[in-house]
Amino acid sequence: MELFITRPLPDKVLAHARAHFNVTLREQTTPLKKGEMRAALVLYDVVIPTLGDLFSAEVFEGMADSRCRLLANFGVGYNHIDVGAARAAGISVTNTPGAVTEATADIALMLMLMSARRASEGERLVRAGKWTGWHPTQMLGLHLGGKTCGIVGMGRIGQAIARRAHFGLGMKVIYHSRSPKPLDFPAEQVADLESLCAASDCVVLAVPGGPETRHLIGPDALAAMRAHAHLINIARGDVVDEAALIAALELGQIGGAGLDVYEHEPTVPEVLRKMDNVTLLPHLGTAALDVREEMGMMAVENAVAYREGRELHNPV
Ligand code: NAP
């Protein structure tokens, strides 16, 4: 069977894929263009796409008889794939849940601490040679111990962040999710998003992207947040109305923001880049070799299950 991989992946993953398939590896690190996606559906039995490969409904038009029957996505987030349109064309989609959870929660915690404790600003000060020395009122930030962490989306990653916030930082955890969660640590569900924003010192986003959560955090949620509170986004860029976030930061409605993802990724508005109280990471959530290997192995295992006519491990 022919397998198309749309980006370079770790060697271990490629070796595993080559043991089971004739692999065509695309060497570029940029997203596929529409024509490339349509060609891939025609030419290959399985495609391993990833973030940025925008498999919209248009891409699947007329593809009901195409060769490709599986998109084994590399990543847990699959909002770049119109799963309904894929299904209508008879193409299954899988993802890589679990492999990403702990590493992404680590990045969320890092952003919480960096934003609240002004780490980026401090680092810039030192690098610029402008630090004049310690003094008792220098660069005072927000101490997170004993404060409230409000998690939006209490799934796998949300819960991993909650554990770190509760057991690691001694924070009170509250959350907003579609359904109540059986949890082995104290956390209170808040039905209304704005109430959660109003009660939190740190609001952390861990919902999936896509039409349902687009601009979940807009002017109303931002206005509900406290003036000292920080917004952390490790979910997807379009969960936040970026223009509204910029306005809230400019007005001092919130204390700061820590972002791993952006609405028009990889474009990051210059105004955000110039704000001292904003911490900006280049989508580092799962960026560790062993994590990327595990994600890749899961994606290949889904492809192998398809090849062998077995049930897919992680259908979405
Ligand atoms: P998950 O286990 O499916 O958790 C998602 C949670 O969001 C679920 O608890 C779900 O509630 C909740 N949710 C969905 N829609 C909601 C809404 N409209 N309002 C409130 N809550 C809502 O997924 P996960 O593995 O934790 O991953 C979450 C997302 O993180 C991924 O989809 C991906 O986009 C993002 N991510 C980012 C990075 C990165 O590099 N920055 C890395 C990995 C993942 P129910 O359980 O009630 O349905």
Side-chain angles (χ1 to χ4, degrees):
M1 274 196 184
E2 298 291 333
L3 171 68
F4 180 53
I5 302 181
T6 71
R7 302 286 198 295
L9 294 181
D11 292 344
K12 180 178 169 185
V13 178
L14 294 178
H16 188 47
R18 287 183 177 124
H20 295 276
F21 293 92
N22 287 331
V23 173
T24 302
L25 174 67
R26 181 172 170 270
E27 297 286 352
Q28 291 105 300
T29 57
T30 50
L32 290 177
K33 299 201 170 71
K34 187 181 155 195
E36 290 178 288
M37 285 182 267
R38 286 182 63 79
L41 295 181
V42 172
L43 294 173
Y44 303 97
D45 298 287
V46 180
V47 176
I48 296 187
T50 193
L51 185 94
D53 296 335
L54 201 62
F55 279 87
S56 60
E58 257 179 87
V59 172
F60 296 106
E61 269 171 27
M63 289 294 169
D65 296 319
S66 69
R67 180 169 182 168
C68 179
R69 297 291 94 194
L70 174 64
L71 296 181
N73 188 55
F74 178 90
V76 66
Y78 53 85
N79 56 307
H80 52 283
I81 301 173
D82 188 325
V83 176
R87 208 169 280 144
I91 300 170
S92 304
V93 180
T94 57
N95 69 344
T96 61
V100 304
T101 302
E102 302 300 327
T104 309
D106 288 346
I107 292 292
L109 212 78
M110 184 165 82
L111 280 172
M112 286 165 65
L113 286 165
M114 286 180 77
S115 192
R117 299 298 299 275
R118 302 172 63 176
S120 293
E121 186 186 350
E123 219 239 3
R124 280 193 294 277
L125 185 81
V126 176
R127 282 185 188 272
K130 290 184 180 163
W131 183 38
T132 52
W134 187 94
H135 63 84
T137 56
Q138 177 207 312
M139 287 198 64
L140 303 184
L142 176 73
H143 173 58
L144 292 179
K147 306 292 192 314
T148 299
C149 178
I151 295 180
V152 183
M154 197 62 144
R156 287 172 294 252
I157 297 173
Q159 290 176 39
I161 296 166
R163 278 194 200 92
R164 284 159 172 73
H166 172 72
F167 295 111
L169 300 179
M171 297 184 81
K172 175 184 174 189
V173 174
I174 59 177
Y175 71 96
H176 173 76
S177 219
R178 289 181 301 193
S179 49
K181 304 288 169 195
L183 301 169
D184 56 4
F185 54 86
E188 180 195 327
Q189 186 172 16
V190 178
D192 170 56
L193 177 63
E194 284 164 33
S195 303
L196 175 119
C197 289
S200 301
D201 299 290
C202 209
V203 175
V204 188
L205 309 178
V207 287
E212 217 190 293
T213 55
R214 186 174 180 274
H215 288 188
L216 191 65
I217 302 297
D220 295 343
L222 290 160
M225 284 176 66
R226 302 174 186 180
H228 68 264
H230 293 254
L231 178 74
I232 308 301
N233 189 9
I234 55 85
R236 281 290 180 264
D238 62 359
V239 175
V240 176
D241 175 346
E242 210 160 75
L245 172 63
I246 290 167
L249 286 161
E250 282 174 334
L251 289 169
Q253 272 179 345
I254 67 171
L259 309 174
D260 192 38
V261 288
Y262 305 90
E263 190 164 3
H264 305 290
E265 209 165 305
T267 302
V268 179
E270 191 181 0
V271 56
L272 275 183
R273 287 188 273 126
K274 287 194 165 156
M275 285 177 180
D276 255 338
N277 57 345
V278 177
T279 304
L280 304 166
L281 297 183
H283 205 141
L284 290 183
T286 61
L289 178 60
D290 50 351
V291 178
R292 293 281 161 85
E293 284 177 346
E294 201 180 332
M295 292 165 69
M297 296 307 253
M298 277 181 97
V300 173
E301 276 307 310
N302 278 299
V304 172
Y306 166 69
R307 195 187 76 125
E308 293 176 354
R310 288 184 281 118
E311 208 172 308
L312 299 171
H313 303 297
N314 312 102
V316 299

